[in-house]
Structures are given as C-alpha cells and as structure tokens.
C-alpha cells in the first residue's frame, strides 16, 4: 500500500511514472523504511537532498505553456517532477531524472549580456526563462501556495467544521509544509551548497529546525547547517603514522573562532555571488554564530549556521516525537498557532516564548498524561542501539532512532480533551519553583532564577527559554487560564448553525484564536487586571475540583 501511495503521489503530479515506481522499489529494498512507513529523519533527508541535487529553479516571466515547457526541458533529460509557484513572479522547480539533465540545461543556457552591469562568472542552478510567445500561456497547472492562510481566514474555515477534533486536524492541514514547499527548502539548501562548495568542496548544507522536524508552518524560516564533518576529521581516530593534511591544520584559538571565520567567508561569498540572496547579515558574535539573509526567489528567510550539531540532534528528536503519535503534531500545530494569534510568539527575536520552547512544553505535557502519550528522553536513550550512540562536546545525545523498538502506552484521550488539559496544566503550573524537563518527564526544582526554565534536552545546563521575561510568562499563563475556561463552556463548544448567515459564528478552537478578552480588558481598564485573572483562576479551580470529583 505504501508503495502504491508513493506511485499515486507521483502520478497525481502528472509525470515520471517509471521513475516513481523505481523510487518506490528502491525505498523498499534499502530497508530504510519501517514496516509502517515511518523512516528516520536522516533517511528522509538523504532522499530529499538527492532530489534537490537533480533540480533547478527557473524564474519565468509568466506561466509558460506546460506542454511546451516540458518539451523544451525534456530535450535535456527526463523530468521526474515539476511545479510552479509564485513569489514576486512565477517560478518553476524542475527535478530531472539525473544530474546530467541539469548539466545539459545549464550548458545550453545563455549568459546574459547587460551593458551597464558586469557579470560574476558563476553558473548557478537558478535560471530565468526569457519566454518567446509560443512558450507563454496563461492556463495550466495551478501555482502551489508557499504561504499559509491568515488567522482570520483560518477562523472562518474552522468555524464551519463539525467538531473540535476536526478543527484541530484542519488547522494542521492548513499550516503544515506541503510536499512542494519541502522540496523548495531542500533545493535552496542545495543551491547554497554550490556556493559553499567553492571553499569547501565536500561540505553539505542541511536544513534543520522546523523546516524538517515535522512542526514547520508554511512561511517559517529556513535554518541551515553547514556540515563540514566529512572533511574536518571530527570523530575520526588519528593514525599513528601517515600523511596529515596541512591545509586543515591552520591553527585557530578555538572551535568557535574557526566557525566564525568559516561563516565570515561564506557570508561574504553569499553576499557577493549568491544569486537571489539579499540583505546578508553576518551575526558572528551570537552564542551560535550565523549568517542571515533572505533568499528572494523562494521567499525564505534563511539562517545559516555551522558547527551546530546539537541543534541537528534536537531536530531529530522532535521529528521522532512527532512521528510517534499523530496527536503530537496536531497539538503542537494548534498551540503554536494559538500562541501566534495572541502574540505570545513573534517572528522578531526578543523576550517572547519561542516556537521551540513551546514545542518542548507540549511534549512535556504529553509525557505527563496518565498514561503518558510519549516516552521520556531518558527512556528513548535506554532503548538506543550501538548505532545511536552520540556524544557531542561532552553531551550525551544518544537516543533510539528505530521506531519498532518504541512501544507506546495505551492512551485514548481525544485531541479536544488534550487541548483543554494543556491549558489547565500550564494555567496552574508552578513556574516560580519548577523547571520543565523532557529528559526525565518530570518537573524539577529550578536550578537558576529565570521566570521560565525549560531544560535544554541535550545541553542540560542550558535553559531553552532564558530570553523569556516575567511579563511574557504571565501573559502566557493568563491566556492559558482564559482559553481553558473558554473551551470548557459547552455553549461555545458546539458548532453554530450557520443557516441564513453569510459567515458561521466562531466556536470551539476558532473562538480561541479570536482576540483575548482578558487582554482587551487589561488594556481598557488596567486597574481591573487582578480581579479578572483572579476570577478566571477561581473558576478554573472549581472546574478542576469538579473534574477530579468525576474521576473519583
Ligand atoms: N534550538 C535549540 N536550542 C534553542 C533554540 C533552537 O536547540 N535554544 C534548535 C532546535 O532544534 C530548533 C532549531 O534550533 O528546532 C531552530 O531554531 P528556531 O528557528 O528558533 O526554531 P524552529 O523550531 O525552527 O521554529 P520556527 O518555526 O519558529 O523557526
Ligand atoms: Mg526555525
């Protein structure tokens, strides 16, 4: 069935039947896929990277005629897959069956001559199509959306659903990365890889963070990691005798200094020669040095880091948790969206709670259910095999990757229950004393003074949410209180009849995404702040007592 589904996906896109069958067979053969279809993140990434290396990005003046466009491309090689999207113009992503197709296309392309500008002699895989009239056409395959719907559109959409459960799944569907967006992310990494390879021919640029951890929303930033491990000798045993490569031995004071100088030259290169890369900033003094820029043809905000192996591991961990039970991704998407709608998270760095912190908070909550929905990180470490062993800069980063070794406990709570309980859990969590710890799955005494303490799962002496101030934490708590109250109101929690109305009344999850009542009251009448949150708190306590009564 799995194999058939894959073929169907390819056929649906209209091209490459043979290639699809071959690919589905290869996946079955190489054993990187578990029986139930779940694959490790590394296996997924390898496949995506290979696709990206055989792909080009073409800027089109307007939508070309699909038939003629394909005919033109197929002169250079078989096309596996293609799609169009819009981002300040129309673009096409084209994957050839082999790299020869790309080479032939580039070979045949003309280098433009512009009288008032000089060209940098770098042949990239970002091309532009000067269309002759015969290639121009207005109809064809629709453009694939690369951005998510607005909150107001989402509220409208969710209001027509029949249950909170459906609202939550519908939200995930609206926000999650599409197949095309995911391909585009890997292609941008691959284009950047070509630039970085000018300095480091064997380097790999890999995406990490929400682009690949399963929790990415359309429009999220593209975190990239310049991986030099294959050439840096990291993790390699030194032989007693033999040749040593001198070019690698140029000394630097620290690994951090090496990272900074590598990113500095790559940043310069991206700035000077990177097609479509604009607004390049080299932020080298940050705890994790990075180069930030905007990749115009894709519309992605990119953060390029190096020597960031722990972040890569935490991406793998989040991916694993997201694959264990579908409720994990649904709840994370819902909470991330809810937090964004209320300004708890922001795209601007500051004292806000980050999406990463929020995700860890959801995971912790799911570990605390009775029975737990997901295991603790320590349990995942205990299940690890020899191939999973990993110690990075003294930090134990070992955990199991093989899904078949992980046995989950039976917990059949609905998404509606979990959403409500999430708000109750954090509305009453003892933030002032306790730290959130997904390694142990238990709150721990806070090791340091910080309003919100979430232990970094791998660098355990670090607080993931060190940046969060007391004001932002209390806003989060107040909104949890309000939302838990709202969602337990039965009359708000059932679909409203839309008969005769042009737009259905927001209810259930949709109502939770509307501007907060508490916030509104606070800004209108600052003096009444305490009584409002106190009222909600006491209502919550009474609800909690009532629920506990029911359980007994
Ligand atoms: N990360 C980390 N420790 C932190 C912050 C980030 O280990 N204190 C890692 C996580 O793996 C995270 C990744 O770096 O997923 C990227 O960070 P960021 O872009 O802040 O978070 P995302 O998960 O990508 O979420 P967003 O969609 O907001 O970009
Ligand atoms: Mg990110």
């Amino acid at each position: 069935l799995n194999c058939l589904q894959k073929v169907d996906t390819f056929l649906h896109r209209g091209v490459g039947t043979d290639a699809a069958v071959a690919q589905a067979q290869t996946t079955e053969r190489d054993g990187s896929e578990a029986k139930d279809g779940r694959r490790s993140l590394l296996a997924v990434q390898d496949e995506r990277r290979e696709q990206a290396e055989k792909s080009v990005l073409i800027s089109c003046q307007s939508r070309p005629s699909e038939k003629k466009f394909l005919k033109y491309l197929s002169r250079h090689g078989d096309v596996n897959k293609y799609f169009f999207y819009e981002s300040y113009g129309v673009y096409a992503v084209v994957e050839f069956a082999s790299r020869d197709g790309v080479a032939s296309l580039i070979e045949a392309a003309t280098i433009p001559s512009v009288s008032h500008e000089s060209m940098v002699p770098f042949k990239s895989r970002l091309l532009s199509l000067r269309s002759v009239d015969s290639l121009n056409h207005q109809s064809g395959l629709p453009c694939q959306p690369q951005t998510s719907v607005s909150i107001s559109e989402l509220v409208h959409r969710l209001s027509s659903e029949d249950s909170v459960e459906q609202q939550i799944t519908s939200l995930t569907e609206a926000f999650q990365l599409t197949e095309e967006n995911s391909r585009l992310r890997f292609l941008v990494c691959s284009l950047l890889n070509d630039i970085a390879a000018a300095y480091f021919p064997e380097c790999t640029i890999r995406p990490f963070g929400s682009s690949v951890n399963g929790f990415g929303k359309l429009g999220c930033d593209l975190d990239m990691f310049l991986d030099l491990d294959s050439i840096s000798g990291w993790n390699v045993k030194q032989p007693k005798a033999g040749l040593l490569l001198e070019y690698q031995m140029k000394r630097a004071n620290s690994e951090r200094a090496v990272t900074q100088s590598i990113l500095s030259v790559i940043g310069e290169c991206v700035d000077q020669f990177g097609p479509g890369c604009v607004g390049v900033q080299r932020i080298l003094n940050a705890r994790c040095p990075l180069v930030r820029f905007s990749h115009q043809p894709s519309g992605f905000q990119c953060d390029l880091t190096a020597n960031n192996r722990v972040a890569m591991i935490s991406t793998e961990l989040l991916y694993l948790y997201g694959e264990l039970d579908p409720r994990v991704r649904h709840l994370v998407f819902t909470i991330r969206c809810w937090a964004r709608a209320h300004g708890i998270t922001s795209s601007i760095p500051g004292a806000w709670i980050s999406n990463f912190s929020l995700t860890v908070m959801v995971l912790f909550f799911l570990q605390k259910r009775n029975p737990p929905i997901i295991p603790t990180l320590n349990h995942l470490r205990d299940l690890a095999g020899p191939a999973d062993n990993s110690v990075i800069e003294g930090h134990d980063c070992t955990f199991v990757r093989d899904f078949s070794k992980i046995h989950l406990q039976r917990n059949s709570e609905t998404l509606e229950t979990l959403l409500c309980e999430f708000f109750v859990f954090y509305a009453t969590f003892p933030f002032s004393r306790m730290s959130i710890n997904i390694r142990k799955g238990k709150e721990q005494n806070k090791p340091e003074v910080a309003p919100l303490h979430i232990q970094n799962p791998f660098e355990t002496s670090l607080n993931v949410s060190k940046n969060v101030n007391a004001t932002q934490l209390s806003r989060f708590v107040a909104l949890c209180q309000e939302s838990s109250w709202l969602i337990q109101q039965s009359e708000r929690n059932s679909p409203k009849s839309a008969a005769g109305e042009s737009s259905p009344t927001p209810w259930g999850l949709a109502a939770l995404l509307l501007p907060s009542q508490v916030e509104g009251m606070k800004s209108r009448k600052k003096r009444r702040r305490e009584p409002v949150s106190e009222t909600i708190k006491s209502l919550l306590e009474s609800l909690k007592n009532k629920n506990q009564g029911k359980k007994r």
Side-chain angles (χ1 to χ4, degrees):
L1 177 70
N2 220 344
C3 167
L4 284 178
Q5 274 167 350
K6 278 207 190 85
V7 175
D8 183 52
T9 315
F10 267 76
L11 290 177
H12 182 66
R13 302 295 173 204
V15 273
T17 317
D18 293 345
V21 175
Q23 180 177 2
Q25 285 168 347
T26 315
T27 318
E28 281 203 337
R29 265 199 315 271
D30 73 10
S32 59
E33 188 161 332
K35 279 195 200 87
D36 60 2
R38 286 178 299 182
R39 292 192 292 157
S40 76
L41 180 58
L42 291 183
V44 174
Q45 285 197 306
D46 284 348
E47 182 186 324
R48 288 256 182 247
R49 198 171 52 251
E50 223 174 274
Q51 289 169 346
E53 283 168 0
K54 294 183 292 187
S55 303
V56 291
L57 184 53
I58 304 178
S59 154
C60 310
Q61 278 175 340
S62 61
R63 284 290 304 283
S65 142
E66 206 181 324
K67 212 171 141 196
K68 287 178 180 158
F69 183 61
L70 262 186
K71 198 173 158 201
Y72 178 77
L73 294 169
S74 54
R75 272 189 238 149
H76 299 281
D78 290 341
V79 172
N80 266 359
K81 156 119 188 163
Y82 64 93
F83 63 88
F84 295 96
Y85 71 91
E86 268 181 87
S87 164
Y88 307 105
V90 177
Y91 287 86
V93 171
V94 179
E95 185 205 335
F96 282 96
S98 81
R99 288 189 208 193
D100 296 344
V102 176
S104 163
L105 191 74
I106 290 180
E107 192 58 37
T110 322
I111 296 176
S113 59
V114 183
S115 54
H116 57 279
E117 278 177 27
S118 297
M119 294 292 151
V120 173
F122 170 62
K123 284 188 175 183
S124 83
R125 282 182 285 144
L126 172 61
L127 304 152
S128 55
L129 179 69
R130 290 277 159 82
S131 42
V132 280
D133 283 346
S134 65
L135 270 180
N136 263 339
H137 197 73
Q138 290 312 312
S139 63
L141 276 177
C143 277
Q144 300 294 326
Q146 305 302 322
T147 49
S148 56
V149 296
S150 66
I151 294 286
S152 59
E153 202 182 326
L154 183 75
V155 166
H156 184 80
R157 204 183 277 187
L158 299 189
S159 304
S160 332
E161 298 290 356
D162 292 331
S163 64
V164 173
E165 202 86 2
Q166 277 179 20
Q167 289 184 322
I168 295 176
T169 43
S170 171
L171 180 147
T172 310
E173 274 159 29
F175 278 175
Q176 69 192 352
L177 301 185
T178 58
E179 157 77 18
E180 287 75 18
N181 193 267
S182 207
R183 278 175 174 263
L184 188 54
R185 286 172 188 269
F186 276 85
L187 177 53
V188 172
C189 288
S190 182
L191 297 177
L192 255 288
N193 209 143
D194 290 349
I195 298 172
Y199 279 98
F200 306 106
E202 288 155 84
C203 74
T204 311
I205 292 192
R206 307 174 193 280
F208 71 100
S210 59
S211 294
V212 284
N213 66 15
F215 302 116
K217 170 179 171 252
L218 279 174
C220 68
D221 67 355
L222 173 55
D223 302 296
M224 292 181 274
F225 162 63
L226 175 71
D227 188 353
L228 297 165
D229 283 355
S230 63
I231 40 175
S232 67
W234 183 77
N235 240 355
V236 177
K237 273 199 184 133
Q238 291 289 328
K240 289 209 174 78
L243 288 172
L244 295 176
L245 287 162
E246 190 58 32
Y247 81 96
Q248 285 187 353
M249 302 305 287
K250 197 151 185 179
R251 301 245 169 2
N253 291 339
S254 64
E255 211 168 328
R256 180 178 165 83
V258 176
T259 304
Q260 285 169 326
S261 61
I262 289 172
L263 284 177
S264 174
V265 294
I266 300 291
E268 181 66 22
C269 204
V270 169
D271 198 9
Q272 298 286 334
F273 310 131
C277 301
V278 297
V280 181
Q281 288 171 270
R282 282 178 279 175
I283 309 168
L284 302 177
N285 286 324
R287 188 183 78 80
C288 181
L290 74 141
V291 175
R292 177 166 288 171
F293 59 94
S294 157
H295 186 259
Q296 265 191 335
S298 62
F300 295 142
Q301 177 69 34
C302 303
D303 278 350
L304 175 66
T305 56
N307 193 19
N308 197 6
R309 289 185 287 268
V310 178
M312 202 66 217
I313 296 275
S314 68
T315 300
E316 270 192 86
L317 179 70
L318 260 49
Y319 170 86
L320 183 107
Y321 274 129
E323 291 287 294
L324 284 181
D325 185 302
R327 288 173 293 180
V328 179
R329 286 184 69 239
H330 287 312
L331 201 59
V332 170
F333 268 99
T334 305
I335 298 299
R336 279 189 175 205
C337 172
W338 165 85
R340 191 61 208 261
H342 294 293
I344 291 174
T345 52
S346 164
S347 56
I348 310 158
W352 293 273
I353 298 178
S354 70
N355 274 330
F356 180 61
S357 298
L358 210 50
T359 307
V360 178
M361 289 170 93
V362 176
L363 297 178
F364 181 70
F365 159 73
L366 294 171
Q367 290 175 334
K368 292 280 292 182
R369 299 309 296 157
N370 188 12
I373 292 181
I374 49 171
T376 65
L377 176 53
N378 276 346
H379 182 68
L380 296 177
R381 182 202 55 204
D382 295 343
L383 295 175
D388 299 313
N389 278 343
S390 160
V391 176
I392 298 172
E393 290 155 20
H395 305 292
D396 181 8
C397 298
T398 304
F399 64 91
V400 67
R401 305 302 200 283
D402 180 351
F403 286 102
S404 67
K405 286 191 189 164
I406 308 168
H407 300 289
L408 301 179
Q409 301 202 38
R410 254 176 210 282
N411 174 314
S412 54
E413 285 174 301
T414 64
L415 280 169
E416 182 174 352
T417 306
L418 290 172
L419 181 63
C420 178
E421 293 292 325
F422 173 89
F423 293 131
V424 173
F425 183 78
Y426 284 113
T428 50
F429 188 83
F431 287 107
S432 59
R433 289 182 293 114
M434 305 309 256
S435 159
I436 289 164
N437 186 314
I438 61 162
R439 188 162 265 288
K440 296 193 170 142
K442 271 202 188 105
E443 51 270 47
Q444 304 289 304
N445 285 327
K446 262 193 203 177
E448 62 188 48
V449 195
L452 175 61
H453 196 281
I454 304 174
Q455 190 196 56
N456 186 310
F458 299 108
E459 293 168 283
T460 52
S461 63
L462 298 181
N463 174 11
V464 167
S465 52
K466 198 176 163 190
N467 61 312
V468 177
N469 66 18
T471 312
Q472 291 307 321
L473 178 64
S474 48
R475 284 194 60 231
F476 171 75
V477 173
L479 278 159
C480 284
Q481 290 170 351
E482 187 189 45
S483 293
S484 66
W485 169 244
L486 282 176
I487 204 156
Q488 293 191 53
Q489 305 282 293
S490 57
E491 75 274 15
R492 285 174 191 267
N493 219 9
S494 50
K496 299 282 176 292
S497 149
E501 289 172 34
S502 56
S503 56
T505 316
W507 69 277
L509 175 57
L512 295 188
L513 302 177
L514 295 174
S516 150
Q517 308 285 314
V518 177
E519 292 280 302
M521 278 188 235
K522 270 187 191 172
S523 52
R524 280 200 301 277
K525 283 192 176 180
K526 276 210 159 147
R527 278 176 295 124
R528 288 189 57 192
R529 178 162 53 190
E530 280 316 307
V532 172
S533 80
E534 283 307 312
T535 316
I536 292 177
K537 216 170 171 180
S538 60
L539 286 168
L540 255 176
E541 288 300 329
S542 70
L543 272 169
K544 228 176 143 183
N545 293 339
K546 207 171 79 190
N547 284 350
Q548 273 165 3
K550 262 192 229 158
K551 273 182 203 156
R552 270 186 232 118

